[in-house]
Amino acid sequence: MLLDRGEIEKRSYAGWYCTPDERFWTEKDLVEGNCPDCGRPVEQIHEENYFFLMSKYQERLIKHIDDNPDYILPETRRNEVLGFLKHNTLGTSVFPDPNSVLRGGSHFLLMRIS
């Protein structure tokens, strides 16, 4: 299991969240303190979550995508993924509680790792 191998760990994070868009933004992304997409107010959210620690695979993924430009299409999505990989320092949020499935909770994770 990824959790047992140290690939996933619990971390706290905070960010500006737009509820209607269901999206987090950084301070620099905000436009006059509002969501840059819809213009509505955002709220500061603090929470604990479990993160897949992608840093171990980051450089290899970036190289593969750069070496194979047709791997992710269209180009706008490839650029979005590359931007995420190059600037992501926290990891990828996967779920709030990895044991909730074992307790009959409603959260689950479907992740393909090749």
Side-chain angles (χ1 to χ4, degrees):
M1 183 173 180
L2 293 174
L3 186 61
D4 296 334
R5 291 187 0 214
E7 304 279 350
I8 293 175
E9 72 179 37
K10 190 174 189 177
R11 293 184 176 184
S12 297
Y13 70 97
W16 294 100
Y17 187 71
C18 177
T19 302
D21 290 344
E22 298 181 342
R23 182 165 178 188
F24 277 94
W25 297 98
T26 64
E27 182 82 34
K28 67 181 172 92
D29 293 324
L30 301 179
V31 176
E32 297 179 4
N34 294 317
C35 173
D37 279 353
C38 71
R40 295 181 196 144
V42 294
E43 61 181 304
Q44 182 77 26
I45 301 257
H46 299 270
E47 61 185 33
E48 287 189 333
N49 212 334
Y50 285 81
F51 290 85
F52 173 66
L53 304 178
M54 194 179 319
S55 59
K56 186 184 211 178
Y57 309 98
Q58 226 161 336
E59 291 305 316
R60 190 167 51 184
L61 285 168
I62 291 168
K63 181 175 181 354
H64 180 76
I65 294 168
D66 283 340
D67 291 349
N68 300 279
D70 292 336
Y71 186 68
I72 300 175
L73 294 174
E75 182 180 1
T76 54
R77 294 294 174 239
R78 179 176 60 251
N79 292 340
E80 183 179 352
V81 170
L82 284 171
F84 173 79
L85 288 170
K86 290 176 182 178
H87 302 291
N88 180 6
T89 57
L90 189 56
T92 301
S93 174
V94 288
F95 44 85
D97 183 350
N99 297 309
S100 65
V101 173
L102 299 176
R103 292 192 312 266
S106 62
H107 295 95
F108 66 94
L109 170 67
L110 175 61
M111 181 184 289
R112 178 179 176 192
I113 300 175
S114 300

